[in-house]
Amino acid sequence: MYMFCNGAIVKESEARISPFDHGFLYGLGVFETFRLYDGHPFLLDDHLDRLNAALKELNISGNVDREEITGILDKLILANGYDNARIRLNVSAGNSPMGLQTSPFNNPNMLVFMSPISMEDILLEKKAVLLKTPRNTPETGVRLKSHHFLNNIAAKREISDQPGTEGIFLTENGFIAEGIISNIFWVSNGTIYTPDLSTGILNGITRQWIIEYAYHIGLRCEEGFFTPADLKRADELFYTNSIQEIVSVYSIDSGSRFQGKSGPVTRKLYEGYQRFKKQISSRNELHTYGEIL
């Protein structure tokens, strides 16, 4: 398998970065994961906008632009032979002496990983459990998609390796937050609900797409502070991320049951996702399809 490492396409076994990278020493790094569909990087512009905002927050110099990344992706597609793939774009602070640096990091390390993934247009159905591990609070004003993943790892250990199960974090105050690797949505009486960003959740790219697409097709979506009781009264429940797309949920805590993959709102959103995943680079492009949505 080939990857990109600081300007070169190399075999994964040959990639090298310094142990003095502050991404390794102090967790100063961020990443994005997204998918290629027949070579098209879905919502790439939205991912880069979030990445660049995070780099600014971490005082890491530079701006990752679309032309640079698409050029790297073209080379990786050629080297690996995959045009349906999972991509991880990782930028860390770069090399510096040990110690807590306050000045800008001017030479970040950039890595791009590629792995093959099948393109099955199937709405999956899984179950969910409420976690005992609480969601920690963000290190900065908003949650970054950063190297700080111990909270997620602790939650994953709590439910062990169950591919058909997603854990749902609660905040320390008992409000619904997000999944271990996902954002959470549910539907009650035709209205879509999802936790507000001020609960400390990641503003997922697929989350943003769902909210925008729902608006364009006339579905009401409310963000706020909700309890497990609100969640368990729902008709439909689903979670989202950029790799698994939209996944329906049929039960939570082996008790409350939902409509799962037969849920009409979940299915409508899923079908919209399938329609656009090979076409657009930003959720903002949806307005150009206004008359036919």
Side-chain angles (χ1 to χ4, degrees):
M1 194 88 67
Y2 289 88
M3 63 176 288
F4 174 88
C5 181
N6 289 332
I9 303 296
V10 299
K11 292 182 179 179
E12 288 182 343
S13 60
E14 298 173 356
R16 301 287 186 273
I17 60 172
S18 169
F20 289 96
D21 177 6
H22 277 221
F24 168 70
L25 291 175
Y26 301 106
L28 288 176
V30 290
F31 67 98
E32 294 288 328
T33 53
F34 56 92
R35 284 182 64 167
L36 294 183
Y37 296 98
D38 291 343
H40 174 71
F42 184 49
L43 300 179
L44 176 60
D45 293 348
D46 294 339
H47 282 283
L48 293 181
D49 285 346
R50 185 174 66 175
L51 178 77
N52 287 320
L55 293 177
K56 184 177 180 179
E57 181 76 27
L58 294 179
N59 210 15
I60 299 174
S61 299
N63 195 72
V64 182
D65 64 51
R66 190 175 196 278
E67 183 177 359
E68 178 183 14
I69 295 304
T70 54
I72 292 170
L73 294 176
D74 287 343
K75 292 176 182 178
L76 287 176
I77 290 171
L78 184 63
N80 289 313
Y82 309 135
D83 56 6
N84 290 291
R86 177 187 187 272
I87 304 296
R88 172 166 166 153
L89 165 59
N90 197 104
V91 182
S92 58
N95 307 342
S96 198
M98 286 188 288
L100 301 183
Q101 179 172 318
T102 58
S103 58
F105 291 90
N106 294 317
N107 296 291
N109 288 312
M110 185 164 79
L111 310 174
V112 183
F113 305 83
M114 170 183 275
S115 55
I117 192 168
S118 61
M119 195 173 70
E120 297 179 340
D121 296 341
I122 301 173
L123 177 57
L124 298 177
E125 188 178 63
K126 298 186 178 183
K127 64 179 181 179
V129 295
L130 294 176
L131 295 164
K132 296 178 182 177
T133 305
R135 190 58 166 130
N136 63 358
T137 54
E139 292 85 6
T140 59
V142 297
R143 187 173 298 279
L144 307 179
K145 197 172 179 69
S146 74
H147 290 184
H148 296 273
F149 248 61
L150 182 56
N151 191 217
N152 305 68
I153 293 169
K156 186 65 175 178
R157 288 172 178 168
E158 180 182 327
I159 67 170
S160 70
D161 188 16
Q162 300 181 58
T165 302
E166 172 66 317
I168 299 177
F169 281 113
L170 303 182
T171 69
E172 289 186 351
N173 294 323
F175 294 111
I176 298 295
E178 59 188 341
I180 299 174
I181 55 168
S182 65
N183 289 118
I184 301 296
F185 292 84
W186 61 96
V187 183
S188 292
N189 298 319
T191 297
I192 304 168
Y193 296 90
T194 195
D196 192 88
L197 292 178
S198 56
T199 59
I201 64 174
L202 180 72
N203 192 9
I205 300 303
T206 308
R207 176 187 186 274
Q208 296 175 47
W209 187 91
I210 289 288
I211 293 171
E212 186 73 18
Y213 184 71
Y215 166 78
H216 280 284
I217 62 174
L219 291 173
R220 183 180 178 187
C221 185
E222 292 188 11
E223 301 172 69
F225 289 78
F226 305 102
T227 66
D230 296 315
L231 189 64
K232 291 179 178 181
R233 286 194 296 264
D235 304 311
E236 303 175 47
L237 172 63
F238 61 93
Y239 66 84
T240 64
N241 68 34
S242 295
I243 303 304
Q244 298 183 52
E245 305 178 345
I246 298 170
V247 178
S248 63
V249 175
Y250 64 85
S251 73
I252 185 168
D253 286 347
S254 300
S256 298
R257 296 194 65 83
F258 310 100
Q259 295 176 14
K261 61 185 177 182
S262 63
V265 174
T266 304
R267 182 159 291 281
K268 190 170 187 178
L269 294 169
Y270 175 81
E271 290 171 352
Y273 196 98
Q274 301 310 306
R275 176 183 176 187
F276 286 104
K277 68 185 184 183
K278 297 180 184 179
Q279 300 182 51
I280 63 175
S281 299
S282 170
R283 67 189 186 283
N284 296 324
E285 295 175 35
L286 285 171
H287 77 275
T288 64
Y289 296 87
E291 293 184 1
I292 59 174
L293 280 172

